[in-house]
Amino acid sequence: MPEARTRALSDVLDQLEDAAKGDSVAIQEVIDTLGNSSFAALMLVFSLISTSPASAIPGITTIVAAIVFILVVQMIVGRKSVWLPRFITRQEMATDKLCKGIGWLRKPVRFVERFLKKRMTFLLHRPWLWLPLLLILGLTLFMPLMEVIPTSGSIASAVIALFAASLLTRDGLLAGASLLLMLAVPVTVWLNWA
């Protein structure tokens, strides 16, 4: 009997869309909707925002990098619930732009979900988990500099999104693939800089 395909990523988009009410939605509302212990879901949501057309908005890569940095530090130290500074949680996103971004993401997310399943889960536990978390932490430190290099910030965000997806779906193979794709970030920066 074939293994049922996961809907973990689509479920996150559904939850995010449910939170999008009124003219705008605050970051705190997104956290409340996804849950206070949902580090991977929040990492996925914010990195996907930075890979969508919204990444063209100046400063969005830097904001996403700051949020992911804070989330990863908390994951490394083993914190059980998400904490973000009030100046971040009070920030609001326009509902129409958020819903447009979610709509744009649905097709690629559905495509990716076809290949995801629970496997090689040992890579998603300590001490193995520390390596990708530390590499992503380092990546977030360079993301603000990527604002001036076309596509590099989106590629970095896509790597983070893939890693977050691996945590949500318990797919260790995807976690390994996201680390390999991280090599594309310095190559892209070098090609655009040269």
Side-chain angles (χ1 to χ4, degrees):
M1 184 172 182
E3 201 170 318
R5 103 180 154 88
T6 180
R7 270 196 42 85
L9 310 185
S10 293
D11 289 345
V12 169
L13 293 182
D14 291 343
Q15 289 176 297
L16 187 58
E17 199 165 45
D18 289 344
K21 306 224 183 321
D23 293 333
S24 62
V25 59
I27 301 292
Q28 185 60 54
E29 292 175 77
V30 173
I31 295 170
D32 293 342
T33 298
L34 296 177
N36 256 352
S37 60
S38 54
F39 290 93
L42 288 167
M43 192 186 305
L44 176 71
V45 164
F46 291 111
S47 56
L48 284 177
I49 288 170
S50 188
T51 60
S52 74
S55 63
I57 300 168
I60 198 78
T61 300
T62 300
I63 292 167
V64 166
I67 292 171
V68 171
F69 179 88
I70 294 168
L71 291 173
V72 170
V73 167
Q74 292 175 72
M75 290 172 77
I76 289 171
V77 299
R79 190 174 165 88
K80 299 295 182 196
S81 61
V82 171
W83 173 86
L84 289 173
R86 278 184 58 80
F87 74 89
I88 291 177
T89 58
R90 284 191 311 225
Q91 297 299 314
E92 297 190 349
M93 299 175 279
T95 301
D96 59 338
K97 288 183 180 175
L98 180 62
C99 289
K100 188 176 179 182
I102 292 169
W104 182 87
L105 289 166
R106 285 209 182 268
K107 192 172 181 180
V109 162
R110 275 195 302 267
F111 175 78
V112 169
E113 280 179 330
R114 291 168 39 198
F115 305 100
L116 303 180
K117 61 183 177 184
K118 191 173 178 179
R119 58 190 157 190
M120 297 173 64
T121 56
F122 70 92
L123 291 173
L124 304 171
H125 296 285
R126 297 169 189 243
W128 300 102
L129 186 59
W130 284 332
L131 175 62
L133 288 176
L134 289 171
L135 289 173
I136 287 172
L137 198 65
L139 182 61
T140 60
L141 295 175
F142 288 99
M143 283 173 68
L145 304 174
M146 296 177 190
E147 293 266 8
V148 296
I149 302 167
T151 71
S152 62
S154 291
I155 292 171
S157 295
V159 167
I160 294 169
L162 286 174
F163 177 70
S166 75
L167 291 175
L168 282 170
T169 58
R170 310 307 297 159
D171 191 336
L173 184 62
L174 181 61
S178 69
L179 294 183
L180 287 176
L181 284 172
M182 196 178 290
L183 297 174
V185 177
V187 170
T188 303
V189 170
W190 183 79
L191 288 175
N192 282 294
W193 197 265

